[in-house]
Amino acid sequence: MAVMFSGCNNSKSPNGNRGALASTAAEKVYVPPGEHDEFYAFFSGGYSGNLTVYGLPSGRMFKEIPVFSQFPTNGYGYSEETKPMLNTSHGFIPWDDLHHPDISQTNGKLDGRWIFVNGNNTPRIARIDLKTFETDEIIEVPNSAGNHSSSFVTENTEYVVAGTRFSVPVPQKDISIKEYKGNFKGALSFIEVAPETGRMNLKFQIMMPGFDYDLSHPGRGKSHGWFFFTTYNTEEANTLLEVNASQNDKDFIAAVNWKKIEEYINNGGGTKMPAEYAHNVYDHSTHSAKSTIKKEVLTVDPTKVPGAVFLLPTPKSPHGCDVDPTGKYIIGNGKLSADLTIHSFDKMIAAIEAEKFDGNAYGIPILKFEDVLAGQVKSGGLGPLHTEFDGKGNAYTTFFISSELVKWNVETREVIDRQPNYYSVGHVMIPGGNSAAPFGKYAVAMNKITKDRYLPTGPELEHSAQLFDISGEKMELLLDFPTHGEPHYAAGIPAEILAPKSQKIYRLEDNKHEFAALGGDETRVERNGNEVHVYMSMIRSHFTPDNIEGIRVGDKVYFHITNHEQDFDVPHGFAMIGANNAELLIMPGQTRTLVWEPEQVGVWPFYCTDFCSALHQEMQGYVRVSPANSDIKLSWSLGE
Amino acid sequence: MKKAGILMILGSLLLLGLFEFPLWNIMLGAPQYPDPLGMNIYISGIKGVKEFDIQNIDGVNHYIGMQTIPKPWEMWEFRVFPLVIGTMAALGVVIGLLGFFGKVNHWWFLGWFGLMAVLGILGMYDFNLWLNDYGTNLDPNAIMKMTRPNGRPMTYKPPLFGHQKMLNFDVDSWPHTGGYLMFAGMILTLVAFFIGKKSKNIAQ
């Protein structure tokens, strides 16, 4: 008996009364059936090219929004209407590496109109509408490569930025890579956002020295009008960067006074240069996207605009660049350093006014480290990456190497609490964390390595997020949940801001799609040479028409299908045997087009893929395909 | 009699609320319709509570072979009811005015009330006939043919008044604003009768 008791005690002692704590955590993340989460959280899908939508605190995934990737689930990037969204100056690029989501702001507060994300590989910025949760617009960023210090918005969403991670020759040309130093440029792009429509326009690019621009954040409050970008490889090395770009003890945070540059441009400054880049816009009335190739971009040489750009020395290969909610402090996290560096905006302005410069880089003034430094957090951990704020004077920084989340006081720089992460934490997100008014109730750590946290799924596991309750003095781990792809940052917003305006259907009467069949009498099939256009409608539980004859091998068949439902959450799907693309998932009131090029004679079925009603299984039809030289006339029917 | 005349006029005018507000409301709720589907029955036609409710009720009902909900031009009632209500309101105002000036006595008020009550009962009877037809006159080719435990074909007549469970739907049928205004108006005309009667007694 004694052995049993002591055994029992031993098994409990290492974790104290963790059982009780664990049940408290469960209560805090439990959202009973039928009830809703308190926050939406938008996680970057990284190499999945998608944005995923989760609920907090439950950690339940609600939706995957395709942005830079073809998405067979609903035909995005496969349907004729959405293919133009993935057009670029390099042609159709059906994938990208989606990094940093940021929600639109008004007066420094989240307004929940749009969320912006960046494509890192083929530089792009996308805008997603938060009424429909669909990608509305994608703009390519010329003269850039690795659009990493992006896509953060200024406090009235005047601009969304796109800073290049890789410097490249501008304009691109065939030169030796060894000629990198002094010849390559780093473009910082400022894309203006139309206040009513959200429509994006690349207003100007600042041509910076050939460093690597890593991350960025806007100023706010008193620092509104400035934007801050971390750099690495100020050595301008072009080979074995892990060594050669880690030689300088300090790299820089580039501080950009964009208001000054805006003024310069509005007075006719800047140089127009030829550049090809795609601008893709989706229209919710035609349910179609259009891609336009733009031919010109306005560039700015920062040395021509005195007082606009300064360099703040920051140790050592700084990664994260975060501005606190008051806008007073700029935090640069040296990913190879043990300390956090906090710059003071006021001290920076004072040093600029006193012209206390410590040389320059390609003509851009460098400020003295000591003159701009507000202080450092000592022994916070190893490898600080990213910082978010709770709006109560505290900051939360992730440390990749020591794998922990550290809470510290922004003013006193004292460490308050630290919690281990499982494992290798990258980004952290507090809803509204990149705004003047964070909702400091939860923090989500986005971990890179997952092993042993979930049941194994072969060599690859989804990444693991960890939810912390940060409402108290100490952080409390509440929940592990898997995230899709590899999240690089996330953005959270209270559900009460988004949920009431979420769109439930598209109104059929507002459908201006060129090929829509809005009434049963508009359904038909038309031949134009070897192109056949099928104008089809769908409603529970049939297609109109459901029998089509007169199609020939070698035809290019366009199925233009309109969903006549006007009921929330009743999409219909469309799948055609042998179609070498994907299915369509068509929302109520929407029109979508799938191309099918039949290769074989026969009678081939199509069907609805999204379970729609008790008669869903009966929602199907046939297409008769005759030989290429057949003279069978086009015909179509329903109910005959 | 002046007070009674005013009440008679007010009561009759309350009928005009039917030109603005629904007489009746039927709601259909089910687990898959957390926002219930509903129809508002006006004297001039039926409208969905939400914009697309009628289309969606028709969509649900077609499985069991119910007819689509009638459009305003498909039923004579929607042409006749506004005339009847307008006429009764005008008649009530005239009687009230005549009462106010002492040209007619309080029995006219009761007469109007009686006529209105008879018309109302006829209206309810007609409404019930329609509900009956709507719920029982089913398409013989309906996809689903449900039977009761006793083997008889199931019918789907919504309740004239109150709540009823129909398959997976909870159906609630109650008067709406226009209806309540009408009832209140009729009660006022009845009160006008009693006040008129009382003032007559005092005068004598």
Side-chain angles (χ1 to χ4, degrees):
Chain A
M1 274 304 256
V3 174
M4 275 178 72
F5 276 124
S6 68
C8 203
N9 288 337
N10 281 346
S11 72
K12 271 188 178 172
S13 55
N15 294 326
N17 56 349
R18 187 164 167 199
L21 268 181
S23 71
T24 313
E27 281 168 18
K28 285 183 174 175
V29 301
Y30 183 65
V31 178
E35 289 188 17
H36 291 169
D37 278 283
E38 192 178 346
F39 292 94
Y40 285 97
F42 297 86
F43 285 76
S44 132
Y47 39 65
S48 81
N50 294 344
L51 186 69
T52 43
V53 187
Y54 284 74
L56 298 181
S58 73
R60 298 180 292 191
M61 192 183 103
F62 297 147
K63 186 167 196 172
E64 209 175 339
I65 304 170
V67 184
F68 299 118
S69 286
Q70 279 180 301
F71 196 60
T73 304
N74 66 7
Y76 176 86
Y78 293 98
S79 65
E80 295 305 295
E81 291 80 3
T82 55
K83 268 154 65 174
M85 292 304 283
L86 299 175
N87 192 36
T88 74
S89 64
H90 304 273
F92 180 75
I93 308 277
W95 171 85
D96 214 314
D97 187 8
L98 185 150
H99 274 241
H100 312 117
D102 205 14
I103 295 170
S104 58
Q105 298 181 15
T106 303
N107 298 325
K109 291 183 178 163
L110 301 188
D111 59 32
R113 290 178 293 168
W114 311 296
I115 188 164
F116 297 88
V117 295
N118 54 319
N120 190 46
N121 181 53
T122 306
R124 289 178 259 189
I125 300 264
R127 179 174 55 83
I128 292 137
D129 188 325
L130 289 179
K131 281 206 294 282
T132 59
F133 287 55
E134 284 188 10
T135 307
D136 264 12
E137 190 174 2
I138 295 180
I139 190 166
E140 191 185 356
V141 185
N143 299 327
S144 292
N147 174 26
H148 197 267
S149 38
S150 181
S151 50
F152 305 103
V153 299
T154 53
E155 73 177 27
N156 287 300
T157 321
E158 294 97 337
Y159 289 98
V160 52
V161 300
T164 191
R165 172 178 158 197
F166 304 105
S167 285
V168 288
V170 176
Q172 274 289 5
K173 60 186 168 189
D174 176 21
I175 63 170
S176 168
I177 300 163
K178 293 200 173 82
E179 291 176 49
Y180 180 118
K181 193 163 186 166
N183 285 324
F184 284 34
K185 289 282 177 202
L188 304 180
S189 306
F190 282 72
I191 295 164
E192 64 179 352
V193 179
E196 293 302 317
T197 59
R199 196 61 61 83
M200 298 189 287
N201 173 44
L202 175 48
K203 182 131 184 207
F204 59 87
Q205 291 191 310
I206 308 168
M207 289 299 159
M208 295 287 285
F211 311 149
D212 292 50
Y213 296 85
D214 201 2
L215 272 159
S216 66
H217 261 63
R220 58 178 59 95
K222 60 165 64 180
S223 55
H224 177 54
W226 289 77
F227 226 105
F228 304 94
F229 296 82
T230 45
T231 65
Y232 65 94
N233 192 22
T234 52
E235 297 85 348
E236 294 185 78
N238 64 288
T239 182
L240 193 61
L241 257 57
E242 67 168 87
V243 174
N244 294 330
S246 306
Q247 295 302 307
N248 290 348
D249 184 49
K250 293 191 175 62
D251 294 284
F252 301 121
I253 286 177
V256 175
N257 185 336
W258 57 262
K259 281 210 167 150
K260 203 149 228 168
I261 294 182
E262 190 180 61
E263 193 185 304
Y264 170 74
I265 284 183
N266 291 343
N267 290 324
T271 311
K272 283 188 176 162
M273 68 169 278
E276 285 213 338
Y277 60 102
H279 184 205
N280 313 326
V281 179
Y282 183 83
D283 181 326
H284 281 289
S285 62
T286 62
H287 298 284
S288 304
K290 256 199 190 121
S291 178
T292 315
I293 296 289
K294 300 214 166 176
K295 301 285 188 189
E296 201 174 57
V297 67
L298 186 63
T299 60
V300 176
D301 175 350
T303 63
K304 300 266 173 66
V305 198
V309 184
F310 300 91
L311 299 173
L312 284 51
T314 307
K316 172 173 186 177
S317 300
H319 183 60
C321 179
D322 300 286
V323 179
D324 83 303
T326 67
K328 276 156 68 178
Y329 299 111
I330 305 116
I331 292 138
N333 293 332
K335 62 183 184 280
L336 305 178
S337 146
D339 303 327
L340 287 167
T341 302
I342 299 123
H343 294 309
S344 154
F345 179 74
D346 289 336
K347 289 176 91 173
M348 181 190 90
I349 294 295
I352 291 169
E353 282 171 357
E355 298 191 358
K356 289 164 79 176
F357 303 134
D358 188 13
N360 68 78
Y362 296 100
I364 298 172
I366 301 171
L367 298 165
K368 287 201 182 100
F369 180 62
E370 298 74 22
D371 290 345
V372 292
L373 186 70
Q376 287 185 301
V377 177
K378 292 287 181 189
S379 308
L382 283 177
L385 289 187
H386 301 285
T387 303
E388 292 261 288
F389 307 90
D390 62 5
K392 293 174 264 185
N394 303 307
Y396 299 74
T397 300
T398 55
F399 287 78
F400 182 79
I401 298 172
S402 53
S403 193
E404 57 188 334
L405 185 60
V406 174
K407 174 181 179 180
W408 52 278
N409 183 289
V410 177
E411 288 292 342
T412 66
R413 283 132 223 158
E414 284 166 332
V415 170
I416 298 165
D417 187 25
R418 54 205 315 148
Q419 291 287 333
N421 295 122
Y422 306 101
Y423 305 89
S424 299
V425 61
H427 278 275
V428 59
M429 181 275 277
I430 291 170
N434 176 36
S435 76
F439 303 88
K441 186 169 182 186
Y442 300 110
V444 188
M446 283 156 264
N447 304 325
K448 301 293 184 189
I449 293 169
T450 307
K451 54 185 174 193
D452 103 357
R453 297 305 282 184
Y454 313 131
L455 287 173
T457 51
E460 193 201 4
L461 285 92
E462 292 282 28
H463 286 201
S464 159
Q466 296 193 299
L467 179 74
F468 291 89
D469 178 342
I470 57 166
S471 56
E473 176 82 354
K474 302 285 180 190
M475 298 177 273
E476 186 193 348
L477 176 61
L478 299 181
L479 181 70
D480 279 7
F481 62 97
T483 47
H484 194 47
E486 185 199 338
H488 300 259
Y489 202 40
I493 185 166
E496 62 190 16
I497 298 178
L498 291 196
K501 9 174 257 187
S502 188
Q503 192 163 327
K504 296 195 158 133
I505 57 160
Y506 295 99
R507 295 169 62 91
L508 200 57
E509 65 180 58
D510 293 340
N511 182 328
K512 304 283 182 268
H513 191 290
E514 191 184 351
F515 299 105
L518 298 179
D521 52 338
E522 292 177 31
T523 59
R524 65 199 185 276
V525 185
E526 287 172 359
R527 174 179 288 284
N528 178 15
N530 74 331
E531 275 189 8
V532 177
H533 292 267
V534 180
Y535 298 77
M536 188 181 266
S537 69
M538 55 188 0
I539 196 157
R540 279 166 285 186
S541 327
H542 61 271
F543 295 93
T544 310
D546 65 359
N547 277 332
I548 300 170
E549 301 198 1
I551 307 286
R552 304 176 199 138
V553 168
D555 280 347
K556 195 167 181 181
V557 182
Y558 290 81
F559 291 101
H560 309 288
I561 310 174
T562 304
N563 183 346
H564 282 198
E565 304 285 350
Q566 296 284 267
D567 195 1
F568 182 31
D569 196 27
V570 189
H572 292 293
F574 176 81
M576 182 75 228
I577 189 172
N580 55 7
N581 34 36
E583 67 148 350
L584 297 174
L585 198 62
I586 309 168
M587 299 306 124
Q590 202 177 47
T591 303
R592 282 277 178 269
T593 301
L594 190 83
V595 171
W596 176 55
E597 297 176 77
E599 306 261 326
Q600 295 172 37
V601 167
V603 178
W604 306 103
F606 55 85
Y607 69 98
C608 171
T609 50
D610 187 346
F611 200 101
C612 56
S613 74
L615 281 305
H616 159 74
Q617 208 66 3
E618 284 77 0
M619 191 165 170
Q620 63 185 50
Y622 285 104
V623 180
R624 174 182 174 187
V625 177
S626 306
N629 57 2
S630 158
D631 57 3
I632 291 175
K633 278 179 70 177
L634 269 189
S635 64
W636 59 93
S637 62
L638 170 75
E640 285 173 15
Chain B
M1 221 19 219
K2 283 197 185 325
K3 204 166 149 194
I6 291 170
L7 284 179
M8 181 66 206
I9 293 167
L10 280 179
S12 310
L13 286 174
L14 281 178
L15 256 58
L16 298 177
L18 284 169
F19 285 92
E20 180 66 27
F21 303 106
L23 169 69
W24 216 266
N25 168 271
I26 299 178
M27 297 302 291
L28 301 113
Q32 71 269 40
Y33 285 97
D35 292 330
L37 299 172
M39 49 180 144
N40 281 329
I41 298 163
Y42 293 80
I43 52 171
S44 57
I46 301 174
K47 286 185 186 162
V49 171
K50 295 188 302 300
E51 188 178 3
F52 298 108
D53 279 1
I54 297 293
Q55 175 176 339
N56 292 324
I57 290 170
D58 285 342
V60 167
N61 286 349
H62 100 275
Y63 292 121
I64 47 176
M66 287 172 80
Q67 308 155 68
T68 55
I69 292 165
K71 304 284 179 291
W73 57 88
E74 288 173 342
M75 278 173 64
W76 62 265
E77 286 90 339
F78 295 132
R79 288 189 300 277
V80 170
F81 284 2
L83 292 176
V84 171
I85 295 297
T87 308
M88 282 307 289
L91 190 62
V93 169
V94 170
I95 293 173
L97 278 173
L98 291 174
F100 183 84
F101 292 113
K103 304 285 181 202
V104 299
N105 67 16
H106 55 278
W107 288 103
W108 282 81
F109 299 173
L110 191 67
W112 182 93
F113 177 84
L115 178 60
M116 189 63 210
V118 169
L119 288 171
I121 288 164
L122 283 175
M124 293 291 274
Y125 176 72
D126 182 70
F127 179 46
N128 196 50
L129 277 184
W130 171 72
L131 287 178
N132 213 35
D133 181 60
Y134 181 64
T136 57
N137 184 5
L138 304 176
D139 182 349
N141 292 325
I143 300 158
M144 293 167 76
K145 292 193 181 69
M146 314 293 284
T147 47
R148 294 176 193 283
N150 63 14
R152 283 213 175 145
M154 189 136 168
T155 59
Y156 306 94
K157 177 186 172 296
L160 181 64
F161 193 88
H163 169 267
Q164 191 179 314
K165 186 95 184 158
M166 277 168 48
L167 295 178
N168 53 332
F169 279 93
D170 283 293
V171 184
D172 283 284
S173 175
W174 300 100
H176 208 286
T177 313
Y180 289 120
L181 288 175
M182 180 183 75
F183 296 139
M186 288 177 67
I187 288 166
L188 275 187
T189 62
L190 201 57
V191 171
F193 163 73
F194 284 113
I195 290 180
K197 189 176 172 191
K198 206 170 152 195
S199 68
K200 184 109 182 171
N201 289 342
I202 291 165
Q204 283 168 351

